[in-house]
């Protein structure tokens, strides 16, 4: 995001900007200049590394300084795909390549490995519905019942509920504690 809107962008606008999948959801214009934001495509289906790099650059911090000053980082996934056997047909290979190109969970996992200290200190949270949700494409609106059922099951798990409560506490506590404000 352009530096001139950091103090005016609303949380819902930033979240909406990250969900602007060009073939399904329109881009969004944010801020006084009306800067347009849209999906990162296959380059940034999970933008957590881009967000991290941009924050380092914007706040002119070294990685260890970012760790010391970070109040909260939330990564929201689109669901973990099921395991699928590799099909050696042309169609199967193309499907496998598409899945690899749009895989958000491997990015989340590698970020977690590289920044495990953030997760251990409870300032970084990843929320993504377990197996199956990632198999439903954005265009499959007829599967809303399945999406709702999977999401409700995920939200009712004790581990997810505990993480949500910890995340909410961090957000509440950090409300007036930001070192970047």
């Amino acid at each position: 995001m352009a530096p001139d809107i950091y103090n005016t962008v609303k949380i819902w606008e930033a979240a909406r900007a990250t969900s602007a999948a060009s073939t399904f959801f329109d881009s969004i214009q944010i801020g006084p200049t009306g800067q347009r934001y849209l999906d990162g495509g296959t380059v940034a289906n999970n933008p957590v590394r881009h967000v991290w790099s941009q924050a380092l650059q914007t706040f002119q911090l070294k990685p260890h300084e970012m760790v010391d000053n970070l109040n909260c980082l939330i990564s929201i996934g689109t669901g973990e795909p099921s395991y699928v056997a590799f099909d050696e047909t042309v169609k199967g290979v193309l499907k496998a390549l598409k899945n690899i190109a749009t895989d958000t969970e491997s990015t989340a996992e590698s970020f977690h490995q590289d920044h495990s200290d953030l997760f251990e200190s409870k300032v970084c949270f990843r929320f993504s519905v377990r197996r199956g949700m990632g198999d439903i494409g954005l265009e499959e609106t007829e599967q809303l019942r399945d999406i709702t059922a999977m999401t409700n099951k995920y939200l009712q798990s004790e581990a997810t509920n505990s993480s949500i409560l910890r995340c909410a506490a961090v957000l509440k506590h950090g409300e007036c504690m930001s070192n970047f404000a």
Side-chain angles (χ1 to χ4, degrees):
M1 288 188 193
D4 60 328
I5 68 168
Y6 287 133
N7 294 322
T8 60
V9 67
K10 295 173 179 67
I11 291 173
W12 75 265
E13 290 173 321
R16 174 61 180 80
T18 67
S19 67
S22 55
T23 56
F24 299 102
F25 303 111
D26 293 336
S27 60
I28 184 172
Q29 292 181 318
I30 300 175
T33 63
Q35 185 164 343
R36 185 175 301 279
Y37 295 89
L38 55 123
D39 183 40
T42 59
V43 175
N45 268 321
N46 180 340
V48 69
R49 289 195 179 280
H50 297 280
V51 168
W52 183 261
S53 295
Q54 189 168 10
L56 290 172
Q57 180 183 9
T58 300
F59 299 116
Q60 298 176 357
L61 297 172
K62 295 186 178 2
H64 72 276
E65 294 172 320
M66 179 66 91
V67 170
D68 294 341
N69 287 288
L70 184 65
N71 287 326
C72 189
L73 175 62
I74 302 170
S75 175
I76 301 174
T78 56
E80 297 176 10
S82 299
Y83 297 111
V84 179
F86 184 74
D87 181 358
E88 294 183 22
T89 65
V90 172
K91 185 177 178 180
V93 170
L94 290 174
K95 184 175 180 179
L97 290 173
K98 177 186 172 232
N99 289 342
I100 291 168
T102 59
D103 183 11
T104 62
E105 294 305 315
S106 63
T107 302
E109 181 61 28
S110 68
F111 185 83
H112 191 137
Q113 289 171 354
D114 294 345
H115 300 282
S116 60
D117 51 334
L118 297 175
F119 290 87
E120 290 165 11
S121 62
K122 308 289 191 246
V123 296
C124 190
F125 300 88
R126 171 76 175 166
F127 299 104
S128 191
V129 175
R130 303 281 185 258
R131 299 277 170 233
M133 181 78 97
D135 298 330
I136 300 173
L138 290 173
E139 72 283 1
E140 298 181 68
T141 56
E142 73 281 354
Q143 294 198 36
L144 185 57
R145 278 192 163 150
D146 292 338
I147 294 168
T148 302
M150 285 184 248
T151 302
N152 285 336
K153 183 173 181 167
Y154 173 72
L155 292 173
Q156 290 170 2
S157 84
E158 188 57 37
T160 301
N161 200 308
S162 294
S163 290
I164 290 171
L165 291 174
R166 279 193 310 273
C167 182
V170 167
L171 288 171
K172 183 177 179 185
H173 178 72
E175 211 167 64
C176 57
M177 303 277 296
S178 176
N179 296 327
F180 303 124

